[in-house]
């Protein structure tokens, strides 16, 4: 039976588990805080050390923040900073991460086939039904997004960096710092406004709201978003590690 080591890399923490072919966890997830500063070599070493605490697997799926194309990092928002999300970017780290072939590096380090995608894409692979146009938005440190059409993953767009109002990106508008500042009630209203604003852009058949903060959306705001909007568990960021191999162009 083929097993998959699935690693969900966030701005604040990195967690992993081993899944069977059906996507069922075969071990309790393990988690470590994301270390900073985080050059690529430390990133790989951290993931290998984390995997060493779990049963052996036949392949590795890694979801990480940022623009990832064919396993190569085009840009990543948090790992180029001195001390984590919202801190100052370091020019040396920017240079090291830009164009970094994470898939090849992780495959070599683990000695296994590896798949590296945006973290929202792996999350989405764990929840999409596989029919119609399905959009996934993950709410956590910032905003993640992934789009699926007929179950196939579309090219990644960094929606989080688009301006939602003058001088403010979606990442800043609905990210964790704003949730803490506003409180859950006002933040939930803001999430509904974002959903309403994006609806005519995507015309989705189903929108999934995931990530660690999705569970904090107030029920009254969720109800006003419509029946085509569903909150899904954050565990999808790991569980999607199996289906991602079938839904992504690898």
């Amino acid at each position: 039976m083929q097993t998959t080591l699935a690693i969900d890399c966030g701005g604040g923490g990195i967690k992993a588990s081993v899944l069977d072919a059906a996507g069922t966890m075969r071990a309790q997830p393990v988690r470590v805080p994301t270390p900073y500063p985080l050059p690529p070599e430390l990133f790989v070493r951290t993931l290998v050390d984390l995997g060493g605490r779990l049963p052996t697997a036949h392949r590795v799926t890694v979801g990480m923040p940022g623009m990832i194309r064919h396993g190569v990092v085009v840009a990543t928002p948090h790992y180029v900073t001195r001390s984590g999300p919202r801190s100052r970017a370091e020019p040396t780290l920017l240079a090291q991460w830009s164009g970094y072939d994470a898939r090849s590096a992780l495959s070599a380090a683990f000695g296994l086939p590896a798949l590296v995608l945006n973290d929202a894409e792996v999350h989405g692979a764990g929840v999409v039904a596989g029919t119609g146009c399905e959009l996934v938005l993950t709410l956590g440190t910032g905003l993640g997004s992934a789009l699926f059409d007929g179950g196939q993953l579309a090219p990644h767009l960094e929606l989080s960096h688009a301006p939602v109002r003058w001088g403010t990106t979606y990442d800043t508008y609905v990210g964790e710092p704003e949730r803490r500042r506003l409180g859950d009630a006002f933040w939930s209203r803001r999430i509904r406004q974002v959903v309403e604003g994006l609806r005519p852009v995507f015309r989705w058949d189903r929108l999934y709201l995931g990530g660690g903060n999705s569970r904090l959306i107030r029920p009254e705001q969720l109800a006003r978003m419509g029946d085509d909007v569903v909150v899904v568990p954050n565990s999808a960021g790991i569980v999607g590690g199996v289906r991602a191999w079938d839904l992504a162009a690898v």
Side-chain angles (χ1 to χ4, degrees):
M1 178 179 64
Q2 181 165 254
T3 55
T4 303
L5 170 62
I7 308 177
D8 184 12
C9 306
I14 300 172
K15 54 184 179 292
S17 184
V18 171
L19 314 172
D20 64 17
T24 303
M25 292 189 191
R26 309 307 296 177
Q28 285 296 315
V30 293
R31 184 186 186 278
V32 295
T34 304
Y36 290 99
L38 186 59
E41 294 77 12
L42 177 57
F43 175 75
V44 171
R45 191 161 65 248
T46 300
L47 269 55
V48 171
D49 289 347
L50 197 61
R53 295 163 53 182
L54 291 163
T56 56
H58 298 95
R59 62 186 184 183
V60 183
T61 305
V62 175
M64 61 178 291
M67 176 72 78
I68 316 297
R69 287 188 182 140
H70 308 292
V72 176
V73 179
V74 177
T76 185
H78 312 308
Y79 301 163
V80 298
T81 63
R82 172 182 290 182
S83 55
R86 306 294 191 268
S87 65
R88 184 170 65 86
E90 291 285 348
T92 301
L93 291 172
L94 279 167
Q96 289 177 341
W97 277 108
S98 179
Y100 181 70
D101 191 342
R103 182 177 185 178
S104 294
L106 288 165
S107 181
F110 279 102
L112 299 170
L115 176 64
V116 181
L117 298 170
N118 173 273
D119 51 349
E121 295 175 339
V122 178
H123 194 106
V127 300
V128 296
T131 58
C133 179
E134 300 176 280
L135 178 65
V136 180
L137 297 178
T138 55
L139 307 168
T141 303
L143 177 73
S145 64
L147 185 64
F148 295 80
D149 182 25
Q152 292 301 301
L153 180 61
H156 184 65
L157 301 176
E158 274 292 75
L159 179 63
S160 61
H161 292 171
V164 64
R165 60 198 296 184
W166 181 258
T168 304
T169 64
Y170 282 97
D171 223 15
T172 302
Y173 194 58
V174 298
E176 173 63 6
E178 274 296 274
R179 186 196 66 80
R180 290 181 178 178
R181 186 183 72 84
L182 293 171
D184 288 345
F186 283 100
W187 175 81
S188 296
R189 186 183 303 171
R190 184 170 285 189
I191 295 299
R192 178 173 60 83
Q193 292 170 346
V194 166
V195 168
E196 291 174 351
L198 292 177
R199 184 181 292 276
V201 176
F202 289 94
R203 297 289 182 180
W204 57 70
D205 293 299
R206 184 65 59 89
L207 167 63
Y208 303 92
L209 299 177
N213 284 347
S214 62
R215 60 186 173 82
L216 302 175
I217 299 173
R218 293 293 179 88
E220 65 272 15
Q221 296 298 336
L222 182 62
R224 294 180 66 182
M225 293 182 204
D227 294 337
D228 58 351
V229 180
V230 181
V231 170
V232 294
N234 194 36
S235 59
I238 291 179
V239 175
V242 173
R243 286 188 77 202
W245 286 80
D246 297 323
L247 303 186
V250 298

